[in-house]
Structure formats: structure tokens, C-alpha cells
């Protein structure tokens, strides 16, 4: 299969310029020169078409409301990867990790990059080696006739998983439905510093005959939480109190969308299990940890509920 030569109608981006400074985004940003495409993107993914003031040479941009887009990728040839080192006069090194791709007189010769992936990252960080340049071409699964879109990234995480991605696309043996996601990563360094960022992830789901072209449920955008504070010794949690029959008349208002998302992450089936699992912090894995930060924001609701219950009990006793 040859790589598409169709000119993309737009680009997906993970950031923009705000007052001259780079800004990472929680949701996808789409730029295009076609006003009709911008309007259709806004209709499909949320947001409003507006003049592009966030960087790039395309006239329009849409700051969408989604962190995951279901896309159609036409096989492994829709993914291109290079290693590039830029200098003051342009590209000084371009390879595939093993051989030079340019200039023409060096093409096919060993490039000298370290064979170990982590060593390549170190060389790039020190300015001695190239960084990934990954290009992905795709269509939006819900409206493929809109045209091809383009996404470029220098993510080392995506570079490390590139072979898994191309293998998965080969197994589909044709156009593949995939989820293109800005995945939230949250962790604490050895020094106790909280770090959070988003990385692009492509998940191959299957062929259009076996996978829905749209997610079953459009989830609300998960905002990037503030980095967690330095670790401190945790205080013992108080024993949970069980409300009496007299207190059971107090209602609880909890976001249904939040409970559905929490259930998916925690693997629970009923709301009671979801709340218990979230409050007890029985969470494992990066995705679940990220969701825990969001769930903690809802603890105020539970505290208010407990306060109302106590007030009701006191009123009944007086």
C-alpha cells in the first residue's frame, strides 16, 4: 500500500500559542483553511470555529471539547516515523533509527544512532541526537467524506509504541477504526514533585464492520488536575458512619456522568460499589490514578451530604 498523497484538509494539534507562549491543551485543537470544514468539526467535536491565532499557517481553528476522537486509519502506511535533528540552518540529521534518510549522498548508510531506545532519548536531551517525528494521516470515522487530517508529534512515548501500532494495523488488514486520545498522565517524582501532562495515544479497535464509528457514549472532558502536592504522612481515616432510618430521607445529588466514568475506570457495576472504591482509593494504574484526582474533587459533595445528615439527626433529637 502506498502512502496517501491527498492534501490534508486540516491538522490535529495538542497545543497552541497564547500571548506568544506555548500552551498545552486538554482537548484536541483542529486547524484548517476551509471554513466549512471548521464548522463541521465544531459540530462533530464541540467548540466554535474562530480565526487561527494559536499558531500555524491555516486560517481557522476549533478548540474542541473532546480528548478522544474516533478515527479511520488506512493501514500502517498512514503512519510515518523519522528521527530528526535540527540545526541553525535546518535539518542536520534525518534517519529511521538505523540508516540515514537524507541527505541523498548519505541515504542508506548507518546513521550511528544508539541501538537502545533510552540511550537515544539521552542523546537527544543532550543535543547530540535526533528526536522522533511521527506523522499520522486519518479520517474522522463519523464523517470520512470530510477528508484526511494530519497529526504530527515528537512524543517519545508514541515512538516507543510505534511497532505495536503498526502491527495492530496490519492485523486489521484494511482500514481500521481507532481512538486518537490525549491521555492524561499523572505521577509523583522520586523527589515528591507532582507531575501531570497529556500524551497522544492511538488505540486500534478493529475494522469498520466490527466497531462502532462513534463511541457508545460521549464522555465529558477530563480536565488536567493541578500537580499533586508533596507527599505527607496520611492521617488515619475516620470510621464510616451508617445513616439510621431517620436520616435516610436525606437525598444525595451526584453527577450521573461522573459515576459512569468512575465505574468504567474502577470496574464496578453499581453506584454504591463505585463510591466505596473511589473513597477507599483502591486504584491501580495510570488511567485509574488520573481519574482518582477527578473523583477527589467530588468529596466536597459527600462532606456536604454528611453535614446535612448530622444536622437532621441533631434536629430530631432536640
Amino acid at each position: 500500500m502506498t502512502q496517501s498523497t491527498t492534501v490534508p484538509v486540516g491538522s490535529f494539534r495538542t497545543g497552541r500559542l497564547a500571548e506568544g507562549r506555548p500552551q498545552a491543551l486538554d482537548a484536541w485543537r483542529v486547524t484548517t483553511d476551509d471554513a466549512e470544514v471548521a464548522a463541521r468539526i465544531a459540530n462533530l467535536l464541540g467548540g466554535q470555529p474562530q480565526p487561527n491565532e494559536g499558531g500555524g499557517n491555516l486560517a481557522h481553528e476549533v478548540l474542541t471539547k473532546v480528548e478522544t476522537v474516533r478515527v479511520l486509519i488506512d493501514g500502517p502506511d498512514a503512519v510515518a516515523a523519522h528521527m530528526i535533528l535540527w540545526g541553525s540552518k535546518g535539518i542536520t540529521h534525518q534517519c529511521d533509527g538505523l540508516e540515514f534518510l537524507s541527505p541523498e549522498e548519505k541515504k542508506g548508510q548507518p546513521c550511528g544512532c544508539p541501538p537502545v531506545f533510552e540511550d537515544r532519548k539521552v542523546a537527544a536531551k543532550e543535543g547530540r541526537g535526533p528526536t522522533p517525528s511521527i506523522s499520522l494521516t486519518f479520517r474522522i470515522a463519523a464523517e470520512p467524506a470530510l477528508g484526511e487530517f494530519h497529526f504530527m508529534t515528537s512524543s517519545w512515548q508514541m515512538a516507543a509504541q510505534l511497532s505495536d501500532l503498526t502491527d495492530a494495523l496490519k492485523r486489521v488488514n484494511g482500514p481500521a477504526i481507532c481512538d486518537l486520545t490525549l491521555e492524561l498522565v499523572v505521577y509523583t517524582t522520586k523527589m515528591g514533585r507532582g507531575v501531570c501532562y497529556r500524551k497522544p495515544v492511538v488505540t486500534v479497535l478493529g475494522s469498520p464492520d466490527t466497531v462502532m464509528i462513534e463511541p457508545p457514549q460521549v464522555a465529558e472532558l477530563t480536565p488536567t488536575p493541578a500537580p499533586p502536592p508533596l507527599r505527607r504522612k496520611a492521617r488515619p481515616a475516620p470510621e464510616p458512619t451508617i445513616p439510621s432510618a431517620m436520616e435516610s430521607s436525606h437525598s444525595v445529588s451526584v453527577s450521573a456522568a461522573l459515576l459512569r466514568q468512575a465505574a468504567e475506570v474502577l470496574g464496578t457495576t453499581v453506584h454504591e460499589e463505585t463510591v466505596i472504591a473511589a473513597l477507599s482509593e483502591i486504584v491501580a494504574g495510570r488511567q485509574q490514578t488520573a481519574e482518582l484526582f477527578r473523583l477527589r474533587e467530588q468529596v466536597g459533595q459527600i462532606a456536604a451530604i454528611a453535614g446535612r445528615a448530622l444536622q437532621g439527626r441533631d434536629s430530631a433529637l432536640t
Side-chain angles (χ1 to χ4, degrees):
M1 183 184 298
T2 57
Q3 191 169 356
S4 173
T5 57
T6 304
V7 177
V9 297
S11 296
F12 274 60
R13 302 176 184 272
T14 62
R16 69 192 303 269
L17 291 177
E19 297 180 353
R21 296 182 178 182
Q23 175 189 25
L25 301 174
D26 290 338
W28 288 105
R29 169 180 171 241
V30 182
T31 58
T32 178
D33 263 338
D34 193 320
E36 293 184 5
V37 171
R40 192 69 192 118
I41 287 292
N43 185 59
L44 289 168
L45 307 180
Q48 294 292 331
Q50 61 188 32
N52 180 13
E53 299 177 353
N57 57 358
L58 301 180
H60 310 280
E61 72 172 358
V62 180
L63 302 179
T64 76
K65 302 296 185 180
V66 297
E67 56 194 15
T68 297
V69 181
R70 190 150 289 185
V71 301
L72 187 65
I73 299 180
D74 195 15
D77 286 339
V79 183
H82 308 287
M83 300 290 292
I84 295 178
L85 176 63
W86 292 86
S88 58
K89 297 182 179 180
I91 296 176
T92 61
H93 180 120
Q94 183 177 17
C95 70
D96 60 5
L98 298 174
E99 298 177 346
F100 279 109
L101 298 175
S102 67
E104 191 63 33
E105 60 270 19
K106 289 186 177 181
K107 188 174 181 179
Q109 298 179 16
C111 61
C113 287
V116 179
F117 190 81
E118 290 301 321
D119 291 342
R120 294 182 185 181
K121 291 178 65 175
V122 172
K125 185 176 181 180
E126 295 176 350
R128 299 183 289 104
T131 57
S133 177
I134 302 169
S135 173
L136 181 66
T137 303
F138 56 88
R139 298 174 184 267
I140 297 177
E143 195 168 334
L146 197 57
E148 290 186 342
F149 290 84
H150 187 237
F151 171 60
M152 290 194 67
T153 178
S154 58
S155 167
W156 284 99
Q157 291 94 335
M158 180 171 280
Q161 299 170 357
L162 204 58
S163 60
D164 293 337
L165 171 60
T166 54
D167 287 346
L169 290 171
K170 288 177 183 177
R171 287 194 295 270
V172 175
N173 194 27
I177 298 291
C178 307
D179 277 347
L180 178 61
T181 302
L182 281 178
E183 182 180 287
L184 180 62
V185 179
V186 181
Y187 67 95
T188 302
T189 67
K190 294 180 180 179
M191 300 299 293
R193 178 188 175 191
V195 176
C196 60
Y197 65 94
R198 290 186 181 268
K199 67 176 182 179
V201 176
V202 180
T203 304
V204 180
L205 303 176
S207 69
D209 296 332
T210 60
V211 180
M212 295 179 62
I213 62 173
E214 291 184 347
Q217 177 182 345
V218 179
E220 297 178 359
L221 175 66
T222 303
T224 300
L230 296 179
R231 293 181 177 176
R232 296 179 180 176
K233 187 176 181 181
R235 296 180 180 177
E239 291 294 327
T241 57
I242 301 175
S244 64
M246 179 176 61
E247 299 167 340
S248 62
S249 62
H250 295 277
S251 63
V252 176
S253 176
V254 179
S255 167
L258 174 69
L259 286 173
R260 285 195 298 270
Q261 290 183 14
E264 292 177 0
V265 171
L266 299 171
T268 55
T269 56
V270 297
H271 291 342
E272 291 83 356
E273 293 176 355
T274 302
V275 172
I276 291 170
L279 292 180
S280 61
E281 300 189 12
I282 304 175
V283 181
R286 292 180 302 182
Q287 279 290 89
Q288 295 177 356
T289 301
E291 283 295 334
L292 178 58
F293 281 101
R294 188 173 183 220
L295 291 170
R296 283 174 173 166
E297 296 176 1
Q298 305 298 318
V299 171
Q301 293 184 7
I302 298 172
I305 293 163
R308 290 196 298 271
L310 290 174
Q311 290 176 1
R313 182 186 64 184
D314 293 341
S315 298
L317 294 175
T318 57

